[in-house]
Structure formats: structure tokens, C-alpha cells
Amino acid sequence: MNNLTDYTKSNRVHWNARTAVNAASAARYDIEGLKAGKSTLTPIEHEELRDLPGKSLLHLQCHFGLDTLSLARLGAHVTGVDFSEDAIAIAERLSQETGLNARFLCSDIYGLPQVLEDTFDIVFTSGGVLFWLSDLDRWAKIIAHFLKPGGVLYLQEEHPFLNVFDDAADVTDLHTRYPYFHTEQPLKIEGLLPYSDPATDQRTVEYVWSYSFSDILNALIGAGLRLDYLHEFSHGGNRRFPFMAQGEDGRWRWNDATNNIPLTFSLQATKV
Ligand SMILES: C[S@@+](CC[C@H](N)C(=O)[O-])C[C@H]1O[C@@H](n2cnc3c(N)ncnc32)[C@H](O)[C@@H]1O
């Protein structure tokens, strides 16, 4: 991977370190469940992603491949991409161990057109992906580049409005701390404990970028994609704030129902 910015190099160090912690966290990353035949996709993804058998699918920011392999189990021909060498090594091992066929590539998203020639029916990306990206317009153009005409992007992500709130481990109420609108310079976040296992005292540096909802939609429109739907949900996949409770369905919701703020959104957009 050539031409990485210092921010990207630093984030790759962060993600290589976090990969080991995440892979050891059975509560958040159910490796044994995947091996036993379960899916790690969210209920939203199961509901919205229909018609996968036989489709070629590119999974961007696939981490160590649990969702990629779950998509393969549903019949898609999958390629997973991530810039963490450690994550891709685990993904390849899991593909062999489960017998689920998948191709994994270690690449920065912005360098992907230099190392991958194929086009796809579906580009899939979800669950904590956008704030690692330094340039959303370029990201959307890369998605359009890899889609066949008529192919679709499926994106499920934490709601961008959540990024304004203080999500430190010791907060007791909802108050704003971070900007909503995008700035070219990333936010430097130091000392956050791993979300998959806060008992692991691994403190790294993260450089992240905030994007407004209009930034996300306009990036896709600007890349020539047509929005098919946009959905917002009152539940999420992570305990993003301490004052959340997990339901029997495994999803996290606000303890206080007056926090009537969306936690997740999903969208589909077509390359016309
Ligand atoms: C929160 S994970 C999301 C993955 C998936 N939803 C999950 O929970 O397993 C974010 C992933 O983005 C990857 N990533 C961050 N910046 C990237 C970049 N510029 N190019 C490729 N991958 C990147 C990280 O290595 C990490 O695996």
C-alpha cells in the first residue's frame, strides 16, 4: 500500500491493534457462531438484503470477514477489502475453516482501483465505516467505479447525528461534544478503550472525520447513484453510550425513551 497519508497509516496501526481485541471478544464478534452456521448480519440487513444468491458482492471495510462470510453463506460471490493486514489474515483463515468461499484483499479503499479490476452487482459496507474516510466524494466515486450498470450500493451505518454526542465511557447524560459538520482536518481521538472489550486497557490514537447526512447523500448523488430508499432506526448494533440497554433481539436502545433520536440508518442506491 503506497501513498498512504500519515492519518491513514496511524489508523491502520489502530485497527491492527484492535483486530486482536475484537477477535477475542465472543460477545461482540461471534466467530464460533459463524463456524456453527450462524450469521453475523444485523436483522436490518437480513430484512433489506434480498436476492443474494449468485450475485457478485464487494464488501468494503470488511474487518476480519464475519459479515463477508455470512453474505457468502447466503449465496453471494464475495470479495472483502480492508486495509488491516491482521484483519485480512484472520478473514482468510476463517474462510478456510468454515469452507465458505471468499476472496479477501488487503487494500486502502482509495488505492483499490489500482489492485482490483472486477465490477460487481452489489457493494456492501456497514457498521462503523464512514468516519474513517478522509474524502467521501472520492469514496462514492470508487463505489460507482466498482458497480456494474444497474448494480446497487447497500450501506448500513450509525446515524451521523450521533457523532455530535460525548460517548466517553463515563458520561451520564446526552450532551454535545463534537462537530456535526465536516472539517477537512480530522478529529484526533486519544485513549478510547476498545468498544468490543472495554476491560482491555488498549489505548490508541484514532483520526476520524464527521460527515453530515447531506454530505453522505450528495456524495452518492454526485457519483451518479440514484437513491432507492433511506431508512432510520431507533436501535443499533453497539452500546455507543453507557445509558443504553440491550433487548432480547441483541439490539441496543436508549434507556430513556425521551431520547427519541435515531441510532442507525440504511440506504440503497443504484448505479443508473
Ligand atoms: C468498525 S470496522 C467495520 C467493520 C464491520 N462492520 C465489523 O464490525 O466487523 C471498520 C473497518 O474499517 C477498516 N478501515 C478503516 N479505514 C480504512 C481504509 N481507509 N481503507 C480500508 N479499510 C479501512 C478498518 O480496518 C476496520 O476493519
Side-chain angles (χ1 to χ4, degrees):
M1 278 182 271
N2 297 323
N3 304 321
L4 297 186
T5 67
D6 287 344
Y7 297 133
T8 305
K9 285 181 192 159
S10 176
N11 282 340
R12 195 167 48 147
V13 169
H14 160 80
W15 273 108
N16 276 329
R18 284 294 199 259
T19 291
V21 180
N22 289 351
S25 167
R28 177 65 180 79
Y29 288 92
D30 191 7
I31 292 179
E32 292 312 313
L34 180 88
K35 288 182 186 170
K38 288 189 191 164
S39 167
T40 57
L41 299 173
T42 67
I44 299 169
E45 289 158 349
H46 277 290
E47 173 67 25
E48 294 181 335
L49 279 168
R50 304 277 170 97
D51 203 20
L52 287 174
K55 294 279 167 59
S56 56
L57 183 149
L58 175 63
H59 182 185
L60 297 177
Q61 293 173 260
C62 69
H63 203 28
F64 50 83
L66 292 185
D67 289 352
T68 328
L69 294 170
S70 297
L71 291 159
R73 183 165 272 148
L74 292 172
H77 302 301
V78 298
T79 300
V81 175
D82 201 283
F83 74 172
S84 158
E85 303 93 335
D86 293 5
I88 290 299
I90 295 175
E92 285 173 338
R93 203 188 66 218
L94 286 174
S95 172
Q96 284 172 3
E97 286 175 9
T98 56
L100 292 165
N101 197 27
R103 168 174 57 167
F104 288 103
L105 295 173
C106 188
S107 173
D108 174 45
I109 282 194
Y110 297 111
L112 197 55
Q114 277 92 64
V115 295
L116 180 63
E117 286 193 351
D118 304 357
T119 53
F120 297 84
D121 299 311
I122 301 169
V123 172
F124 171 93
T125 190
S126 80
V129 285
L130 296 183
F131 40 69
W132 302 103
L133 302 174
S134 58
D135 185 336
L136 216 56
D137 291 338
R138 217 172 130 208
W139 164 81
K141 288 191 175 83
I142 286 171
I143 289 168
H145 166 86
F146 281 114
L147 281 174
K148 296 176 182 174
V152 297
L153 162 71
Y154 179 82
L155 165 66
Q156 188 200 152
E157 179 58 303
E158 293 187 322
H159 201 284
F161 191 56
L162 287 183
N163 294 339
V164 302
F165 297 114
D166 190 350
D167 57 358
D170 56 355
V171 291
T172 55
D173 66 353
L174 202 57
H175 58 263
T176 57
R177 175 171 177 183
Y178 301 109
Y180 175 68
F181 292 107
H182 180 70
T183 52
E184 202 177 316
Q185 287 298 309
L187 284 173
K188 182 179 182 182
I189 299 183
E190 284 180 281
L192 271 191
L193 293 167
Y195 58 84
S196 62
D197 186 0
T200 307
D201 191 11
Q202 181 195 76
R203 295 168 195 268
T204 54
V205 178
E206 309 170 31
Y207 292 99
V208 295
W209 289 264
S210 185
Y211 292 100
S212 67
F213 228 138
S214 55
D215 290 336
I216 299 166
L217 297 182
N218 286 327
L220 298 175
I221 292 165
L225 301 183
R226 184 200 64 215
L227 188 66
D228 299 320
Y229 60 76
L230 169 66
H231 297 147
E232 292 170 294
F233 302 90
S234 59
H235 49 83
N238 287 317
R239 188 179 196 175
R240 175 78 182 260
F241 304 91
F243 33 89
M244 292 174 76
Q246 194 171 28
E248 282 181 10
D249 59 358
R251 305 290 289 169
W252 291 90
R253 295 175 175 80
W254 301 108
N255 280 342
D256 181 349
T258 58
N259 288 340
N260 195 2
I261 297 169
L263 289 162
T264 307
F265 77 95
S266 66
L267 65 79
Q268 182 183 289
T270 299
K271 178 171 171 176
V272 284

